[in-house]
Amino acid sequence: MVLFLVGLVFAGVWGEREMKVKVFCPKTQLKMVARDVLEFYEVQDDYFIGAVKERQYQQLLSMGYKVEVLVLDMEEEANRNCPKEDFGRYHSYQEIMDTFALIANTYPDICLLDTIAVSPTGKYVIALKITKDPTVENYRPRLEWDGTTHGNENIGTEICWFFVRQLTENYGSDSLITYLVNTREIWIIPCVNPEGLINRTRGNSNGIDLNRDYGYAWNEESGADVPWSQPEIRGFRDFFQNRPFVMTMTYHSGTTSVMWPWSYSRIATYDSVAHSQLCQLYGSITGYPAYQISRGLYESQGTSTDFYYGAEGALGFAAEVASGQPPPQGQIDTICRANWTASKQWMIKGGFGLRGQITDSLTGLPVKRALVISDPTNWMVCTDTCGWFFKYVLPGTYTIKVMADGYETKTLTGIVVPNDTFVVVPIELKLDTTAPITGYKVTTWICKSPTGAGNTMGLFGLFRRDNRAFTLTARGMAVIEMSQPIINGAGTDFTVYSTSSKPCSVLVSTEWNGPWSFCAYGSGNIACDLADARVSLANFIRLIDCGQSYDLNAIEGTITNAPALILESQTVIDSPPGGNGDGRLDPGESADLILALRNAGRVAANDVGAVLHTDDQYVAVLDSTADFGDIMPDSVKSNFSDRFRITAALETPREHSAEMWLYLTGTGYSDSISFRVIVGELRMIDPIPDNSEPPLYWAYDEVDTLYSEHPVFDWVEIRNIGTRLNLGDDETRQVSLPSDFGPFAFYGQSYSSISVCSNGWIAPGYTSANMQNNTTLPNSSMPPLLAANWDDIDCRYGNNVWYYYDTTGHRFIIEWDSVHYYPGNSMPWDKFEIILFDTTLAGEDGNCKFLFQYLTANRPGTSATIGIQDHTKTKFIQALYNGSYHRAAAPWISGHAIKFSTDQPTGTFENGDIIDPMKLKINFLVNPVKDRAILGYTLKQVADVLLVVYDRCGRVVRRIDFGKQQPGSYQINLNLTDSKDKRLSQGVYWAKLMTGKAQATAKFVLMR
Ligand SMILES: [Zn+2]
């Protein structure tokens, strides 16, 4: 049924529903609306068919386009064709899990079940490997099929299921199938997005479109801030790493087509002839039209096909197999059969072309990380862990170029590939000890301006310098995986070469997804020293473009014949006494620390000794030395039998990250490694820190009663007392703060006015922003933000928004009075307020405190954001986003209160009430008066006693070494001056008393 609706009001939640629409928008105007379209199904000169959210539908109407609604509610369609309760003839997540396990158990000689990812809510993404003797490496061409990346397109799961049954049940009886299973390695991934399948939604449970989350030519279309944001897709990256595929196919539905990359750009792939011929073949069997994704539909970024082809060298494909999402149950069988017949042809073709093993000419050992380029097509494939490569090419005569670090590049010419078969080309490489370490793979490419990308390719930035450049695009970013780790030696360790003189920042890491250490900034060719990044080794280089489209020619690293020790893992043993045995260092605990070191260098590290050190204000090292003995190249050793011992002060903020240094010495070797120990874990009863280091603002809620800053819910009703703003829908109004109230100080900025938005938030200062679509924080397109309930609220329904200045209470109150969620009367309402306190009640550093209070909880945050962000849009607290709470956030119930304050968490140890495991006790007998304070403590045994006074930023201002003291009670008459005898300025200080085995801390406030 085709509905024709224009501007009609629907029931249900507005804005979130996905619709399938036909929009009469000329192709020439498509660019203007393309960002709002979730997926295109058909693009013609005068119209397109696509999936849009209801909001975008409204927007298209308001832009004057005629819009025909083909499917009013795609989730409803998904439910109708595949009922959520029993899935009808479709298979549920549980059935997939059970049956695939059963198949793997029934056919162990040809099946192996693997898990490649776990979804945000703990659902498995499984992969079934089908090949003869699946538990051993077989050097067979790898082929992959997957389904249900979009949860409502689960016809893909049915197709995968059908393939698995065909391949297993007919193995041994059907000669073609037997041949395929014996000679190919076939991977079937029935459901990329288990949560979407279960919930009948396009995205996963985080609402992210997984087919926009892949990190090649990525650009924010997923709805997330970064590529690889979802665990499902990070799992795919890891699955493909070191497991090169010849071809991959991903199934979708919504229209019918079979397609090849690129998605992000209309430039042709180097394999475009093979790409299109294979799609023509597939289309001739299924009846699907064949085209390049970007040309047949529209450009989209962060897709699976671009990642498979661009980063991994596999011929990536995608097929849309029916117009329904999913299609009616009666069509399942026909669709499965057609795709099976076509895919069987691909399984045959996938074994044709070029293949061979690359080996070392002297040792005969496989060369694991070689790039193989065949001309024509000039695109790369990588060798697997056994040195094998497989490349599908059309019949013809080829030249093969093989490139590997540490070897001479080898070129073989005149290789003839006949029709419908494969040729084996064994290749021996000669060592070249002068060859540099080079880039081997593009792990991530953020491409902010695909039109500005020209015909650049990630491949152009790999291996050694040539005349080609990989252009990052303006404000783009790329992560290049090196074929071997670069080791910190004397001077320059690697050089980033460019074909032009534009600027770029260089960061390094040992992990593909960071954390990143800044190494260098420069223009053109950039010489980099790992010492500048304070790391001893790097496997991944991250280049961040500075706005001028850096042209990466190559990254070349020096081969260093030296040991390189890196920290492989850390283990905390906190058994009693002194610890609670949870494997974590908690505030007030002492624990053993075991470090495992890996030698990633090319030479053994002999007689390795280590000294552990920290300057952290909360963590101290009790036993700082350990011996590691000899560590051979590529092996790991720990100090299990000679452990370090560390301790954390009781007042350590939870999740405090303490920087530790390990100084290593060995025969002819010395280095230092920095790493972090995390103390404790935030509990719901702890405040939430912002992300500054150290934290500036903290969010205390009503359950954080251990802390003196915790709020007590105390509703202030200002209805009919204050001023009613009479805001319209999605309206923001500026309100000047009364001069008596003074400025509102927030993150060091002073604001004389605030902007109040109907959608549950205020912005300090002036903004015309009126965003109803809440997002995660920080959000760079939003102003500084105090979001009490950022959601789509229509305050024309209910009693609108009020403000009131309570002079005696030193507070300014903004109340959303019983306002309804969009679209109004039929929706629930909530009553909540924001209370700003003036500067007389500010925190110790002068920043204002403020409070969110919730009188009702009629729709407690299921689609809202609660949190704050500063004017730089980088510092933030997110207590809640769309139903998921920060681990330290209390739930929104009636009577919920959150107080934001820059006063640091104190409480449990205020009033001098600290008792640590060694019964060391410190307290202020006389609180500071003018320049003196009297401090008392008791020693149970002889100890060396040290007193250190810190300011609120953790800087040491005073240090007194009392030397050895006998057991007994002591009083210290403390002169409140710093080490230069200068009087301390007023504020908060910490006195920390330390003995060899214990420490205690007390806070004091100095007033003048
Ligand atoms: Zn799809």
Side-chain angles (χ1 to χ4, degrees), residues 389-540:
F389 76 93
F390 300 90
K391 169 80 183 174
Y392 173 77
V393 290
L394 297 167
T397 306
Y398 289 85
T399 298
I400 296 180
K401 191 162 133 194
V402 184
M403 306 180 291
D405 285 356
Y407 293 94
E408 290 176 7
T409 296
K410 187 159 188 171
T411 305
L412 295 99
T413 55
I415 297 161
V416 178
V417 178
N419 202 23
D420 284 352
T421 187
F422 62 86
V423 214
V424 184
V425 191
I427 300 165
E428 292 187 344
L429 295 185
K430 275 205 195 92
L431 270 177
D432 174 3
T433 51
T434 64
I437 298 170
T438 58
Y440 164 72
K441 215 177 244 189
V442 178
T443 302
T444 304
W445 174 28
I446 296 180
C447 174
K448 293 268 184 182
S449 47
T451 46
N455 57 354
T456 191
M457 302 278 168
L459 172 65
F460 297 173
L462 300 180
F463 207 59
R464 289 173 221 164
R465 273 168 283 171
D466 50 23
N467 293 320
R468 301 183 303 182
F470 168 31
T471 302
L472 300 188
T473 71
R475 292 175 311 287
M477 183 278 269
V479 175
I480 308 290
E481 179 181 357
M482 304 305 289
S483 67
Q484 306 172 49
I486 296 170
I487 296 163
N488 185 26
T492 299
D493 301 308
F494 66 97
T495 303
V496 180
Y497 288 99
S498 178
T499 54
S500 62
S501 56
K502 298 166 193 166
C504 178
S505 293
V506 183
L507 293 85
V508 295
S509 181
T510 52
E511 302 293 330
W512 70 275
N513 225 359
W516 299 98
S517 305
F518 176 82
C519 189
Y521 167 84
S523 298
N525 297 340
I526 307 169
C528 303
D529 183 351
L530 288 180
D532 294 336
R534 308 213 298 180
V535 299
S536 43
L537 182 137
N539 305 59
F540 295 89

Side-chain angles (χ1 to χ4, degrees), residues 39 150 153 202 252-253 320:
E39 189 163 16
H150 293 142
E153 298 168 8
R202 171 190 195 78
H252 289 255
S253 73
E320 300 270 358

Side-chain angles (χ1 to χ4, degrees), residues 659-670:
E659 187 179 33
M660 313 291 289
W661 283 92
L662 194 65
Y663 295 100
L664 298 162
T665 50
T667 311
Y669 167 82
S670 78

